[in-house]
Amino acid sequence: MSLIERVSRATLCLHLAPHGLDGVLRRSGRPVADSAFHLPINNPDGSWDVALASLRGWLEQDRGKKLPLAVSLASRWCAMLMVPWSGALLERNSAQRFLHSQFAAVYGDGARAWRLAADDAPYGRPRLACGIDAALLQGVQQAAAAQGRRILSIEPIVGPAWRSIAGGKPAAFALVEAGRLLLATTSGGRISALHSQSCGAAWGDELDRAWRRWNLRAPQLDAIEHVALLDLSGVSQEDLPGRFQPLPVAGAAHLMREAAWA
């Protein structure tokens, strides 16, 4: 049983993206049949405040039991970074200062307004870190609290995506969302490196080009023959390069299992 379900036997898993809110009820570690839903969001600019308003409205209208929530967010709103090991990561305040310095070096001073968190890697190992606009996180928390909902976790979709396939021990995986693609390599049961960029509706060619460009910077990718592919874009592609091996995905919310970031 997952960490979430050890806390609660039933959890409503939600995925908030620029153009849709997806949800599914999980009970005793499994999605409940016919519980999945999709709420389209008219959001041409892909802004998180429009999506947040839709989440708030859905929570206000939901007449179900006040089940706890596990929330994942689209990659578009989550800045990801592999940060080097530092002793500063061992203490909360110094960890935040260290993470802010790392994100500011890559993303600029705007990262100062983000809430930052890192996964719990072994001592001395690089960590996967995530930055999310503090106002977005606060908005999700307030929307839930206004309806008497408890939030168990809020995290980027890449976390649930990886954990859903980790048992197969792929050397690398690709996650494609509407307008966004992410490539990652793995080692020792963890994400070890990643690359993220925007993409168009015809993402098949862009995915292959992105891998080859990443390969130029990281020649060790030559040794990886197969890349697991999770497609959440809603626009399937034909004639994908054989390197990419699509895996079945019922929906973004179905990927939620246990939380790495709380």
Side-chain angles (χ1 to χ4, degrees):
M1 187 180 299
S2 73
L3 296 179
I4 285 178
E5 282 123 4
R6 281 202 292 268
V7 177
S8 172
R9 296 289 292 180
T11 302
L12 181 58
C13 300
L14 300 176
H15 175 67
L16 187 62
H19 305 295
L21 172 66
D22 291 274
V24 68
L25 177 65
R26 294 186 71 92
R27 180 175 287 120
S28 298
R30 297 180 179 274
V32 175
D34 300 321
S35 67
F37 72 87
H38 172 74
L39 173 67
I41 300 175
N42 183 17
N43 187 10
D45 295 330
S47 60
W48 61 255
D49 53 340
V50 173
L52 180 60
S54 295
L55 171 64
R56 188 180 298 113
W58 185 86
L59 288 171
E60 291 173 353
Q61 297 175 19
D62 179 39
R63 302 303 179 188
K65 295 180 180 179
K66 301 296 185 181
L67 296 173
L69 308 176
V71 182
S72 65
L73 300 174
S75 297
R76 175 169 181 158
W77 303 320
C78 304
M80 308 297 297
L81 195 63
M82 294 299 303
V83 299
W85 166 255
S86 169
L89 293 168
L90 297 176
E91 196 274 324
R92 181 183 296 272
N93 291 333
S94 61
Q96 282 296 299
R97 289 193 296 270
F98 174 72
L99 291 175
H100 273 115
S101 69
Q102 293 291 311
F103 274 80
V106 176
Y107 295 101
D109 288 340
R112 302 290 181 184
W114 298 347
R115 188 76 60 81
L116 305 177
D119 68 353
D120 190 18
Y123 184 91
R125 299 282 298 277
R127 295 191 176 189
L128 177 63
C130 175
I132 302 174
D133 192 306
L136 170 56
L137 282 181
Q138 185 177 36
V140 173
Q141 293 165 342
Q142 291 177 341
Q147 304 305 318
R149 301 271 197 167
R150 183 165 60 99
I151 293 184
L152 300 175
S153 63
I154 302 175
E155 62 176 322
I157 187 61
V158 65
W162 163 235
R163 293 193 299 276
S164 73
I165 63 174
K169 298 182 179 180
F173 71 94
L175 173 65
V176 184
E177 303 161 75
R180 199 79 191 167
L181 66 84
L182 181 145
L183 301 169
T185 59
T186 70
S187 176
R190 300 180 58 254
I191 293 174
S192 55
L194 55 81
H195 166 81
S196 180
Q197 67 176 63
S198 59
C199 68
W203 52 264
D205 290 339
E206 294 186 57
L207 180 62
D208 189 47
R209 288 196 298 268
W211 179 268
R212 286 188 277 112
R213 284 196 301 270
W214 195 24
N215 198 169
L216 293 175
R217 304 194 307 272
Q220 64 271 23
L221 298 182
D222 273 337
I224 299 177
E225 297 182 0
H226 303 298
V227 180
L229 173 61
L230 296 170
D231 176 16
L232 301 178
S233 71
V235 184
S236 61
Q237 306 287 299
E238 297 182 357
D239 300 322
L240 286 170
R243 173 196 323 275
F244 300 101
Q245 301 186 337
L247 299 178
V249 183
H254 288 74
L255 299 176
M256 299 293 291
R257 296 188 179 185
E258 59 190 41
W261 286 276

